[in-house]
Amino acid sequence: DAGVIQSPRHEVTEMGQEVTLRCKPISGHDYLFWYRQTMMRGLELLIYFNNNVPIDDSGMPEDRFSAKMPNASFSTLKIQPSEPRDSAVYFCASSRLPGQNSYEQYFGPGTRLTVT
Amino acid sequence: GIQVEQSPPDLILQEGANSTLRCNFSDSVNNLQWFHQNPWGQLINLFYIPSGTKQNGRLSATTVATERYSLLYISSSQTTDSGVYFCAVVTDSWGKLQFGAGTQVVVTP
């Protein structure tokens, strides 16, 4: 398996622009997670999906952030409008059903977002 | 929510040295994972270890769930071991990971 795939790997945009980050989870994984990593706050969970349905979006910082999972193999995280404080590395991760004796999560390479 | 504390925050090692990293957590957990974030930013799975002991090459980990801590051992460290080591725990049935702040490891030649 190719692992979790994220695109783009790097994104530089100007304040006010829309940014869309993409993720393809590992095939057969039912859970998908979006995390953000900053120096100040470390790694924090933004939102996660089970079988394409959002379960908990309480970590999404504000309404400018939205996430979708239209099918089992694709998810997007959108920021509109972007602000300089959104600059961070955004990770996507996936895992199997917890009942299958494994909560182990696998992370993608991340998207480094810079908003100027 | 659960507190995850890692120690030490920073560690400088001479190549070939051994070290122990610690992760304390404030509540019972369903899962615990150790990750290595390399200098390129990739998060690499090291261990999935809610309890017991596991070994993988020069690395091993032990989790004592009843006492709410986990240890990561690095033996015969190499420069490629440099990076940040994260402990992360799951306390709910959905698998949400709560990360510690990490231990920054620098291995010098």
Side-chain angles (χ1 to χ4, degrees), chain A residues 9-26:
Chain A
R9 296 292 305 277
H10 302 272
E11 177 80 33
V12 180
T13 190
E14 292 184 347
M15 183 174 63
Q17 296 298 306
E18 178 179 294
V19 175
T20 299
L21 312 182
R22 297 172 176 80
C23 175
K24 176 179 168 56
I26 293 172

Side-chain angles (χ1 to χ4, degrees), chain A:
Chain A
D1 201 313
V4 177
I5 298 172
Q6 291 187 247
S7 65
R9 296 292 305 277
H10 302 272
E11 177 80 33
V12 180
T13 190
E14 292 184 347
M15 183 174 63
Q17 296 298 306
E18 178 179 294
V19 175
T20 299
L21 312 182
R22 297 172 176 80
C23 175
K24 176 179 168 56
I26 293 172
S27 178
H29 281 193
D30 299 288
Y31 285 81
L32 184 139
F33 304 81
W34 282 99
Y35 293 86
R36 179 172 68 174
Q37 185 177 32
T38 61
M39 289 295 292
M40 291 296 293
R41 300 174 66 89
L43 275 154
E44 52 182 347
L45 178 67
L46 300 178
I47 184 172
Y48 62 101
F49 296 82
N50 172 221
N51 289 327
N52 315 335
V53 176
I55 302 300
D56 184 351
D57 65 354
S58 60
M60 297 284 260
E62 45 195 282
D63 292 344
R64 298 184 296 106
F65 286 69
S66 63
K68 294 181 180 179
M69 192 165 184
N71 57 63
S73 58
F74 183 66
S75 177
T76 59
L77 178 67
K78 186 175 294 187
I79 308 172
Q80 166 63 22
S82 58
E83 296 183 2
R85 59 190 166 129
D86 302 330
S87 297
V89 180
Y90 291 81
F91 288 100
C92 177
S94 70
S95 70
R96 290 196 177 102
L97 281 170
Q100 295 176 6
N101 295 320
S102 175
Y103 291 92
E104 188 167 8
Q105 285 185 32
Y106 296 85
F107 281 71
T111 295
R112 182 174 296 277
L113 174 65
T114 303
V115 183
T116 61

Side-chain angles (χ1 to χ4, degrees), chain B residues 22-27 63-70:
Chain B
R22 188 176 180 101
C23 174
N24 291 333
F25 39 97
S26 59
D27 204 348
T63 297
V64 184
T66 53
E67 297 187 21
R68 298 180 183 170
Y69 73 89
S70 183

Side-chain angles (χ1 to χ4, degrees), chain B:
Chain B
I2 191 170
Q3 304 298 312
V4 182
E5 296 181 352
Q6 292 187 241
S7 60
D10 302 280
L11 194 57
I12 298 176
L13 300 170
Q14 188 95 29
E15 198 168 26
N18 303 326
S19 65
T20 301
L21 283 58
R22 188 176 180 101
C23 174
N24 291 333
F25 39 97
S26 59
D27 204 348
S28 58
V29 299
N30 296 330
N31 173 28
L32 186 145
Q33 287 187 243
W34 282 97
F35 295 90
H36 174 216
Q37 188 166 38
N38 64 24
W40 295 269
Q42 291 180 298
L43 278 164
I44 298 165
N45 289 37
L46 296 179
F47 295 101
Y48 166 79
I49 186 167
S51 63
T53 297
K54 290 186 177 180
Q55 180 153 10
N56 184 3
R58 295 181 297 102
L59 301 181
S60 64
T62 295
T63 297
V64 184
T66 53
E67 297 187 21
R68 298 180 183 170
Y69 73 89
S70 183
L71 303 174
L72 178 70
Y73 305 95
I74 304 174
S75 65
S76 304
S77 58
Q78 300 177 358
T79 55
T80 51
D81 294 331
S82 296
V84 182
Y85 290 80
F86 289 102
C87 165
V89 301
V90 171
T91 57
D92 66 359
S93 59
W94 299 101
K96 290 193 301 183
L97 281 174
Q98 178 72 41
F99 280 83
T103 293
Q104 173 87 52
V105 173
V106 175
V107 182
T108 61

